Amino acid sequence: MNNNKVAIITGASKGIGRSTALKFASNHYCVTLVGRDREELEQLRAEIEKDNRLEALVCAGDLANEEFLEQIIENTMQKWGRIDVLINNAAWRTIQTMRSISLGNWEKTIKICLTAPAFLAKYAAAVMEERRIAGVIINVSSVMSQRAGGTSPAYIVCKGGIESLTYELAALYGPKNIRVISVNPGNIKTDLSSDYTDGEGNNISAQLGEHMNDNTPLKRAGISEEIANVSYWLSTQEASFITGTTIVVDGGFSHNFNAYTMKKLQYPEEF
């Protein structure tokens, strides 16, 4: 039986997921790395094992496939015999409006961004209950769940849904000492924030980033490590009374009324 705690991280090959895997591994967790790109996951596994002298497990596959979801849990249990933390971080989406999105893209987004987290939580929580583990399930949502832009309808629906799922699961599993929390990142520098284009196909991610920064009190984008740090802290005893809620990590963006260029026009000496 493994003596270290075990964390499963989906979308682990890049961005927030990769930083989260490294954070947990650096704190003596064995980690199951889930994603689509086996080569990138294997590179991360090698990095973790070299730097932390702990084993990592690679599970490469499609989260839209229910059999793969079950395989993640089975492989983790065969390897280490326990699950302490599940980080539902993986996402997939297209940049389309409701006018243009296809049924296929809609359904794929729902499967990966909402159905997969729900059933991974179900399977992981079953293990935690059986083994009497005070586990933690963290669902990575987005501030877009409350601030729709009109350009990613299926993704927005999923992010709102995963927050409701968080509250539902926290109510269900709380009596077994399993905590469930949603983490809502704001503008974070990742691959998912670098593929925005205009009507002619030109990449406008930098301009959108500048717009976000101008609306953020801390005046910058976040980095994936800052989300990883929050997720790790939420899994510790220091956060032992936090469950069934959403933690927003956005530099103050969500509750800021207007851009700082506008504030400066009104109060040039103050902003």
Side-chain angles (χ1 to χ4, degrees):
M1 177 69 69
N2 172 59
N3 291 321
N4 293 87
K5 289 186 174 182
V6 175
I8 298 173
I9 298 106
T10 69
S13 62
K14 296 178 180 178
I16 292 171
R18 188 178 195 280
S19 295
T20 303
L22 290 170
K23 180 68 176 181
F24 275 83
S26 70
N27 284 278
H28 313 295
Y29 273 75
C30 297
V31 291
T32 297
L33 309 171
V34 181
R36 289 174 292 174
D37 192 319
R38 178 174 293 277
E39 183 177 350
E40 289 184 341
L41 293 174
E42 289 290 355
Q43 290 173 356
L44 178 57
R45 179 191 62 79
E47 181 179 343
I48 287 171
E49 292 182 348
K50 178 183 176 182
D51 293 345
N52 299 285
R53 299 182 181 178
L54 287 173
E55 288 187 291
L57 174 67
V58 167
C59 287
D62 184 359
L63 287 171
N65 182 345
E66 185 178 358
E67 291 181 358
F68 178 57
L69 304 181
E70 295 173 340
Q71 182 184 352
I72 293 166
I73 303 300
E74 291 171 3
N75 290 358
T76 300
M77 292 301 294
Q78 288 174 6
K79 182 75 171 176
W80 292 304
R82 63 182 297 143
I83 299 168
D84 297 89
V85 177
L86 168 65
I87 309 287
N88 279 315
N89 166 73
W92 186 89
R93 58 101 172 93
T94 55
I95 305 296
Q96 295 174 292
T97 71
M98 197 66 217
R99 292 189 182 97
S100 59
I101 193 170
S102 68
L103 180 59
N105 282 344
W106 175 277
E107 291 182 337
K108 181 176 179 179
T109 307
I110 299 294
K111 284 182 178 179
I112 293 173
C113 295
L114 185 56
T115 303
F119 279 82
L120 277 176
K122 171 188 172 77
Y123 301 148
V127 170
M128 294 169 182
E129 287 182 307
E130 180 185 353
R131 301 299 171 97
R132 297 183 179 179
I133 293 170
V136 180
I137 297 169
I138 295 174
N139 297 317
V140 180
S141 182
S142 167
V143 295
M144 292 179 71
S145 66
Q146 303 297 322
R147 295 178 64 98
T151 58
S152 296
Y155 181 78
I156 299 302
V157 165
C158 288
K159 292 310 183 183
I162 205 168
E163 289 175 39
S164 295
L165 175 69
T166 294
Y167 312 145
E168 177 73 8
L169 297 182
L172 175 64
Y173 295 118
K176 294 299 179 72
N177 207 19
I178 298 169
R179 296 187 293 115
V180 190
I181 308 118
S182 174
V183 173
N184 282 23
N187 180 28
I188 309 296
K189 292 180 180 179
T190 68
D191 286 355
L192 210 60
S193 63
S194 63
D195 63 351
Y196 294 97
T197 57
D198 63 16
E200 297 179 353
N202 302 306
N203 193 297
I204 58 170
S205 301
Q207 294 97 307
L208 285 174
E210 290 172 2
H211 172 74
M212 289 284 288
N213 292 350
D214 194 33
N215 282 270
T216 301
L218 293 185
K219 300 295 289 179
R220 65 174 177 86
I223 58 174
S224 58
E225 288 81 2
E226 290 174 305
I227 306 303
N229 290 341
V230 172
S231 293
Y232 175 73
W233 177 75
L234 287 169
S235 74
T236 70
Q237 278 300 108
E238 292 185 353
S240 58
F241 202 54
I242 299 176
T243 193
T245 192
T246 295
I247 307 296
V248 177
V249 190
D250 70 348
F253 171 80
S254 295
H255 295 292
N256 183 45
F257 178 66
N258 57 16
Y260 278 81
T261 51
M262 296 302 298
K263 296 182 197 296
K264 192 171 181 63
L265 286 175
Q266 292 175 290
Y267 301 99
E269 300 303 320
E270 297 188 40
F271 293 98

